[in-house]
Structures are given as structure tokens and as C-alpha cells.
Amino acid sequence: MNPILVAALVVVGIGAACAVMLVVASKFFSVEENETAQKIRECLPGANCGACGYAGCDGYAKALAEKEGIKTNLCIPGGDGVSKQISDILGVEYEDVVEQVAVVHCNGHRNTAKMKNDYAGIHTCEAAKLYYGGQGSCVYGCIGFGDCVAACPQNAICVDNGVARVDTRSCIGCGVCVKACPKGLISLIADRESVLVLCNNTEKGAVVRAQCESGCIGCKKCEKNCEAGAIKVVNNLAVVDYDKCTRCNKCAENCPVGCILISDFQGVHNYKYN
């Protein structure tokens, strides 16, 4: 018999035997998928951001399907719509989602923030931070190289005049940008709020003024004029207690440096479901 033909038949035989073994193994070792988990997974947005506290959408869907008492409103990006779908699948009472958006606690743009060096290294915030905290005099401020921009799955962030800005109308509140910022300047707030302190500097007022014209100087005028006691100066920096805030806007009206912003932070959830 032709040696080449023999070799070919051997190879074909080995391939066929392996195929049979794989088919048998797939049947004996297959893991049954939970149909409920599959249905829930189809409802979830697939951001895999971890905002729900689980390792991605698959983990959250599996937990909901297999464990009792897991809240159906933990998917911030999915909002009320996803919470309603999950509640219907599980046959439980609907729970409202507290929609959140990302905000940047800095307004140190190029017209107000002082520079201490001309950084020429790798243009990422993480790399620049290692070089004396970045090129700005304020080591608490936004570096502006856009690590948050690159991380955002919704293209909801841009760098404008050296400072990161969030378009809350596009933000899904996944929190990926919060993890990406090496300065810890980005946080998540409920999108029903309307007050934001645009500073993160905890130095004394005179030091802050020398670094940035729009930084919080800890003068306490906002604190003194807030009748609800919703804003306090803690460690030289104004901090808002949103549980007490009545949205009277007096804190912003009395801020001498204009570092308190009053705005509509409603996110994409409101435009999709309201």
C-alpha cells in the first residue's frame, strides 16, 4: 500500500477518534445552564463594570438566579428599565434604582491653574502623577491626559482646557472612570443632586490661591450661609452632605472663588425611561 495513503488514513483515523471523544466528553461533563440566569443576563447591559458588586454581568445574573434576597436594583447602568425586567423574571417586587453619574471635583483649567513644569513624558495621568504629581502646581488637581476618557465605555468624558469634564446626559454611572483616575478626583453622585464642589485640594487657603485661582480656600462662607447645615468645611475643603441639601443654592452664591457648581446632573437613565 502507498505509504502516503497509509499516513493520511492514520491521521484521519486519529482525528475521527478525537472527535468522538470530544462529543462524549461534552455530554458527560456538560454543566447545565440556569435558564433564569440566562434570561436575566440578556436584560443586563453588558458593561461588566462591577458597579453591582459582582464580577461582571454574568456574576450578577447568576447570583440573582441562584440566591434569595439579592437586590434587583444594583445595576446602575441599566437603570429602572433593567430593574423592572429582572423583577418580572423573578416574580418579585420592583425596586427603584438610584441612578448615579460621575462628576469631576476639579476646575483647575489652564486659565486658572498654575503650572510648575513642562511634562514631556508618557501622556497618561498615571505616568505623569509619578513625576512630581503632574505638571500642575496643585498636586490634587486634574492632570488632563485623559485616562478617564480612555476608560469610559460611553464616550461620556472629554478633556476641556486641561480638565476632564463629564457629559452626564451620556453617563451610565458605571464607575469605571472613578477607578481610572489616579488622583481620586472623580466620584459618583445621585443624578438628582444639583450641587458640586469643583475642588479636591485640602491645603490651607493661601497655598491653594497660589496654586489655582478657582480652588476652595476653606473660608467657610458656604457653611455659614447654609441654613440646612448641608455643607461643611472639612480639612480645609468644602464637603456637601447630600442627605441634608435642600438645593437652596446659597453655598454657590456666597462662594468667593466660584468653586461650587449648581447644575442639572440628570443622566442618560432619565432620558431613556422618563
mmCIF file of all heavy atoms in Angstrom, residues 131-162:
data_model
loop_
_atom_site.group_PDB
_atom_site.id
_atom_site.type_symbol
_atom_site.label_atom_id
_atom_site.label_comp_id
_atom_site.label_asym_id
_atom_site.label_seq_id
_atom_site.Cartn_x
_atom_site.Cartn_y
_atom_site.Cartn_z
ATOM 1 N N TYR A 131 5.632 61.652 38.253
ATOM 2 C CA TYR A 131 6.643 62.694 38.058
ATOM 3 C C TYR A 131 6.205 63.950 38.815
ATOM 4 O O TYR A 131 5.576 64.849 38.287
ATOM 5 C CB TYR A 131 6.794 62.990 36.560
ATOM 6 C CG TYR A 131 7.937 63.913 36.226
ATOM 7 C CD1 TYR A 131 9.253 63.459 36.272
ATOM 8 C CD2 TYR A 131 7.709 65.234 35.859
ATOM 9 C CE1 TYR A 131 10.302 64.303 35.961
ATOM 10 C CE2 TYR A 131 8.742 66.087 35.548
ATOM 11 C CZ TYR A 131 10.053 65.621 35.605
ATOM 12 O OH TYR A 131 11.093 66.449 35.312
ATOM 13 N N TYR A 132 6.483 63.986 40.102
ATOM 14 C CA TYR A 132 6.152 65.110 40.976
ATOM 15 C C TYR A 132 4.657 65.441 40.983
ATOM 16 O O TYR A 132 4.263 66.604 41.111
ATOM 17 C CB TYR A 132 6.959 66.356 40.592
ATOM 18 C CG TYR A 132 8.452 66.159 40.682
ATOM 19 C CD1 TYR A 132 9.217 65.990 39.534
ATOM 20 C CD2 TYR A 132 9.087 66.104 41.917
ATOM 21 C CE1 TYR A 132 10.586 65.788 39.609
ATOM 22 C CE2 TYR A 132 10.461 65.906 42.006
ATOM 23 C CZ TYR A 132 11.211 65.745 40.848
ATOM 24 O OH TYR A 132 12.569 65.543 40.932
ATOM 25 N N GLY A 133 3.818 64.444 40.802
ATOM 26 C CA GLY A 133 2.378 64.659 40.891
ATOM 27 C C GLY A 133 1.749 65.286 39.667
ATOM 28 O O GLY A 133 0.591 65.683 39.693
ATOM 29 N N GLY A 134 2.486 65.393 38.573
ATOM 30 C CA GLY A 134 1.967 66.014 37.359
ATOM 31 C C GLY A 134 2.562 67.390 37.139
ATOM 32 O O GLY A 134 3.362 67.888 37.941
ATOM 33 N N GLN A 135 2.136 68.057 36.072
ATOM 34 C CA GLN A 135 2.738 69.342 35.710
ATOM 35 C C GLN A 135 2.098 70.536 36.418
ATOM 36 O O GLN A 135 2.655 71.636 36.439
ATOM 37 C CB GLN A 135 2.646 69.548 34.202
ATOM 38 C CG GLN A 135 1.231 69.507 33.645
ATOM 39 C CD GLN A 135 1.212 69.502 32.134
ATOM 40 O OE1 GLN A 135 2.254 69.693 31.501
ATOM 41 N NE2 GLN A 135 0.051 69.294 31.540
ATOM 42 N N GLY A 136 0.948 70.335 37.038
ATOM 43 C CA GLY A 136 0.292 71.428 37.732
ATOM 44 C C GLY A 136 0.870 71.673 39.121
ATOM 45 O O GLY A 136 1.352 70.756 39.790
ATOM 46 N N SER A 137 0.800 72.926 39.573
ATOM 47 C CA SER A 137 1.271 73.267 40.923
ATOM 48 C C SER A 137 0.424 72.575 41.984
ATOM 49 O O SER A 137 0.914 72.212 43.038
ATOM 50 C CB SER A 137 1.223 74.789 41.128
ATOM 51 O OG SER A 137 2.131 75.443 40.267
ATOM 52 N N CYS A 138 -0.872 72.408 41.690
ATOM 53 C CA CYS A 138 -1.773 71.723 42.620
ATOM 54 C C CYS A 138 -1.668 70.215 42.396
ATOM 55 O O CYS A 138 -2.087 69.701 41.359
ATOM 56 C CB CYS A 138 -3.208 72.183 42.404
ATOM 57 S SG CYS A 138 -4.418 71.286 43.396
ATOM 58 N N VAL A 139 -1.120 69.516 43.375
ATOM 59 C CA VAL A 139 -0.947 68.069 43.233
ATOM 60 C C VAL A 139 -2.275 67.312 43.406
ATOM 61 O O VAL A 139 -2.335 66.107 43.202
ATOM 62 C CB VAL A 139 0.087 67.527 44.243
ATOM 63 C CG1 VAL A 139 1.458 68.107 43.953
ATOM 64 C CG2 VAL A 139 -0.339 67.805 45.673
ATOM 65 N N TYR A 140 -3.326 68.051 43.779
ATOM 66 C CA TYR A 140 -4.639 67.433 43.938
ATOM 67 C C TYR A 140 -5.469 67.553 42.669
ATOM 68 O O TYR A 140 -6.528 66.950 42.562
ATOM 69 C CB TYR A 140 -5.406 68.114 45.079
ATOM 70 C CG TYR A 140 -4.742 68.026 46.426
ATOM 71 C CD1 TYR A 140 -3.810 68.979 46.834
ATOM 72 C CD2 TYR A 140 -5.051 66.989 47.308
ATOM 73 C CE1 TYR A 140 -3.201 68.899 48.077
ATOM 74 C CE2 TYR A 140 -4.448 66.904 48.558
ATOM 75 C CZ TYR A 140 -3.530 67.865 48.930
ATOM 76 O OH TYR A 140 -2.924 67.784 50.168
ATOM 77 N N GLY A 141 -5.028 68.352 41.716
ATOM 78 C CA GLY A 141 -5.837 68.687 40.551
ATOM 79 C C GLY A 141 -5.762 67.700 39.402
ATOM 80 O O GLY A 141 -4.931 66.789 39.373
ATOM 81 N N CYS A 142 -6.634 67.920 38.434
ATOM 82 C CA CYS A 142 -6.716 67.067 37.246
ATOM 83 C C CYS A 142 -5.466 67.235 36.383
ATOM 84 O O CYS A 142 -5.062 68.358 36.067
ATOM 85 C CB CYS A 142 -7.964 67.433 36.440
ATOM 86 S SG CYS A 142 -8.201 66.456 34.938
ATOM 87 N N ILE A 143 -4.869 66.130 36.001
ATOM 88 C CA ILE A 143 -3.672 66.171 35.165
ATOM 89 C C ILE A 143 -4.062 66.439 33.710
ATOM 90 O O ILE A 143 -3.338 67.096 32.970
ATOM 91 C CB ILE A 143 -2.888 64.846 35.286
ATOM 92 C CG1 ILE A 143 -2.361 64.709 36.722
ATOM 93 C CG2 ILE A 143 -1.743 64.788 34.292
ATOM 94 C CD1 ILE A 143 -1.682 63.384 37.009
ATOM 95 N N GLY A 144 -5.209 65.940 33.299
ATOM 96 C CA GLY A 144 -5.748 66.283 31.992
ATOM 97 C C GLY A 144 -5.244 65.477 30.809
ATOM 98 O O GLY A 144 -5.395 65.897 29.660
ATOM 99 N N PHE A 145 -4.658 64.314 31.054
ATOM 100 C CA PHE A 145 -4.185 63.490 29.944
ATOM 101 C C PHE A 145 -5.207 62.423 29.524
ATOM 102 O O PHE A 145 -4.966 61.656 28.599
ATOM 103 C CB PHE A 145 -2.845 62.823 30.288
ATOM 104 C CG PHE A 145 -1.687 63.788 30.295
ATOM 105 C CD1 PHE A 145 -0.547 63.526 31.035
ATOM 106 C CD2 PHE A 145 -1.737 64.964 29.569
ATOM 107 C CE1 PHE A 145 0.525 64.408 31.058
ATOM 108 C CE2 PHE A 145 -0.673 65.857 29.570
ATOM 109 C CZ PHE A 145 0.457 65.583 30.317
ATOM 110 N N GLY A 146 -6.328 62.361 30.237
ATOM 111 C CA GLY A 146 -7.458 61.572 29.752
ATOM 112 C C GLY A 146 -7.464 60.083 30.016
ATOM 113 O O GLY A 146 -7.994 59.331 29.199
ATOM 114 N N ASP A 147 -6.919 59.635 31.136
ATOM 115 C CA ASP A 147 -7.053 58.215 31.479
ATOM 116 C C ASP A 147 -8.529 57.848 31.634
ATOM 117 O O ASP A 147 -8.958 56.761 31.258
ATOM 118 C CB ASP A 147 -6.317 57.901 32.787
ATOM 119 C CG ASP A 147 -4.804 57.902 32.616
ATOM 120 O OD1 ASP A 147 -4.334 58.438 31.597
ATOM 121 O OD2 ASP A 147 -4.097 57.387 33.499
ATOM 122 N N CYS A 148 -9.301 58.780 32.175
ATOM 123 C CA CYS A 148 -10.744 58.554 32.346
ATOM 124 C C CYS A 148 -11.449 58.515 30.999
ATOM 125 O O CYS A 148 -12.388 57.739 30.795
ATOM 126 C CB CYS A 148 -11.347 59.646 33.229
ATOM 127 S SG CYS A 148 -10.989 61.333 32.668
ATOM 128 N N VAL A 149 -10.994 59.342 30.069
ATOM 129 C CA VAL A 149 -11.581 59.377 28.723
ATOM 130 C C VAL A 149 -11.401 58.028 28.035
ATOM 131 O O VAL A 149 -12.320 57.477 27.434
ATOM 132 C CB VAL A 149 -10.935 60.486 27.863
ATOM 133 C CG1 VAL A 149 -11.484 60.467 26.448
ATOM 134 C CG2 VAL A 149 -11.165 61.850 28.498
ATOM 135 N N ALA A 150 -10.191 57.484 28.153
ATOM 136 C CA ALA A 150 -9.888 56.199 27.523
ATOM 137 C C ALA A 150 -10.667 55.055 28.162
ATOM 138 O O ALA A 150 -11.015 54.081 27.492
ATOM 139 C CB ALA A 150 -8.389 55.918 27.621
ATOM 140 N N ALA A 151 -10.964 55.183 29.461
ATOM 141 C CA ALA A 151 -11.644 54.103 30.184
ATOM 142 C C ALA A 151 -13.151 54.117 29.992
ATOM 143 O O ALA A 151 -13.802 53.075 30.103
ATOM 144 C CB ALA A 151 -11.321 54.193 31.673
ATOM 145 N N CYS A 152 -13.734 55.281 29.710
ATOM 146 C CA CYS A 152 -15.196 55.415 29.648
ATOM 147 C C CYS A 152 -15.797 54.636 28.476
ATOM 148 O O CYS A 152 -15.474 54.893 27.320
ATOM 149 C CB CYS A 152 -15.589 56.885 29.530
ATOM 150 S SG CYS A 152 -17.378 57.142 29.443
ATOM 151 N N PRO A 153 -16.703 53.688 28.748
ATOM 152 C CA PRO A 153 -17.307 52.886 27.674
ATOM 153 C C PRO A 153 -18.383 53.639 26.888
ATOM 154 O O PRO A 153 -18.836 53.164 25.854
ATOM 155 C CB PRO A 153 -17.917 51.697 28.430
ATOM 156 C CG PRO A 153 -18.266 52.261 29.770
ATOM 157 C CD PRO A 153 -17.174 53.248 30.083
ATOM 158 N N GLN A 154 -18.780 54.811 27.373
ATOM 159 C CA GLN A 154 -19.862 55.562 26.750
ATOM 160 C C GLN A 154 -19.395 56.824 26.035
ATOM 161 O O GLN A 154 -20.220 57.582 25.519
ATOM 162 C CB GLN A 154 -20.889 55.974 27.818
ATOM 163 C CG GLN A 154 -21.644 54.833 28.444
ATOM 164 C CD GLN A 154 -22.548 54.147 27.443
ATOM 165 O OE1 GLN A 154 -22.327 52.999 27.080
ATOM 166 N NE2 GLN A 154 -23.565 54.835 26.986
ATOM 167 N N ASN A 155 -18.091 57.064 26.004
ATOM 168 C CA ASN A 155 -17.553 58.309 25.438
ATOM 169 C C ASN A 155 -18.222 59.531 26.081
ATOM 170 O O ASN A 155 -18.530 60.521 25.404
ATOM 171 C CB ASN A 155 -17.745 58.356 23.918
ATOM 172 C CG ASN A 155 -16.967 57.274 23.199
ATOM 173 O OD1 ASN A 155 -15.822 56.991 23.542
ATOM 174 N ND2 ASN A 155 -17.589 56.640 22.222
ATOM 175 N N ALA A 156 -18.438 59.438 27.396
ATOM 176 C CA ALA A 156 -19.144 60.500 28.114
ATOM 177 C C ALA A 156 -18.194 61.516 28.735
ATOM 178 O O ALA A 156 -18.644 62.462 29.375
ATOM 179 C CB ALA A 156 -20.023 59.891 29.206
ATOM 180 N N ILE A 157 -16.884 61.331 28.560
ATOM 181 C CA ILE A 157 -15.910 62.227 29.179
ATOM 182 C C ILE A 157 -14.990 62.818 28.107
ATOM 183 O O ILE A 157 -14.614 62.138 27.150
ATOM 184 C CB ILE A 157 -15.050 61.487 30.227
ATOM 185 C CG1 ILE A 157 -15.944 60.731 31.218
ATOM 186 C CG2 ILE A 157 -14.144 62.452 30.970
ATOM 187 C CD1 ILE A 157 -15.172 59.923 32.240
ATOM 188 N N CYS A 158 -14.654 64.078 28.274
ATOM 189 C CA CYS A 158 -13.675 64.711 27.410
ATOM 190 C C CYS A 158 -12.756 65.564 28.280
ATOM 191 O O CYS A 158 -13.068 65.845 29.442
ATOM 192 C CB CYS A 158 -14.352 65.579 26.347
ATOM 193 S SG CYS A 158 -15.155 67.064 27.019
ATOM 194 N N VAL A 159 -11.621 65.959 27.732
ATOM 195 C CA VAL A 159 -10.726 66.877 28.433
ATOM 196 C C VAL A 159 -10.872 68.234 27.770
ATOM 197 O O VAL A 159 -10.589 68.392 26.577
ATOM 198 C CB VAL A 159 -9.264 66.400 28.379
ATOM 199 C CG1 VAL A 159 -8.336 67.457 28.986
ATOM 200 C CG2 VAL A 159 -9.097 65.085 29.123
ATOM 201 N N ASP A 160 -11.366 69.206 28.531
ATOM 202 C CA ASP A 160 -11.622 70.541 28.004
ATOM 203 C C ASP A 160 -10.739 71.549 28.726
ATOM 204 O O ASP A 160 -10.844 71.714 29.946
ATOM 205 C CB ASP A 160 -13.106 70.892 28.200
ATOM 206 C CG ASP A 160 -13.443 72.291 27.709
ATOM 207 O OD1 ASP A 160 -12.793 72.755 26.746
ATOM 208 O OD2 ASP A 160 -14.346 72.927 28.284
ATOM 209 N N ASN A 161 -9.865 72.195 27.984
ATOM 210 C CA ASN A 161 -8.969 73.207 28.542
ATOM 211 C C ASN A 161 -8.149 72.659 29.708
ATOM 212 O O ASN A 161 -7.914 73.342 30.705
ATOM 213 C CB ASN A 161 -9.779 74.439 28.983
ATOM 214 C CG ASN A 161 -8.924 75.697 29.073
ATOM 215 O OD1 ASN A 161 -7.823 75.760 28.516
ATOM 216 N ND2 ASN A 161 -9.422 76.699 29.778
ATOM 217 N N GLY A 162 -7.762 71.387 29.593
ATOM 218 C CA GLY A 162 -6.875 70.781 30.582
ATOM 219 C C GLY A 162 -7.553 70.081 31.737
ATOM 220 O O GLY A 162 -6.882 69.564 32.620
#
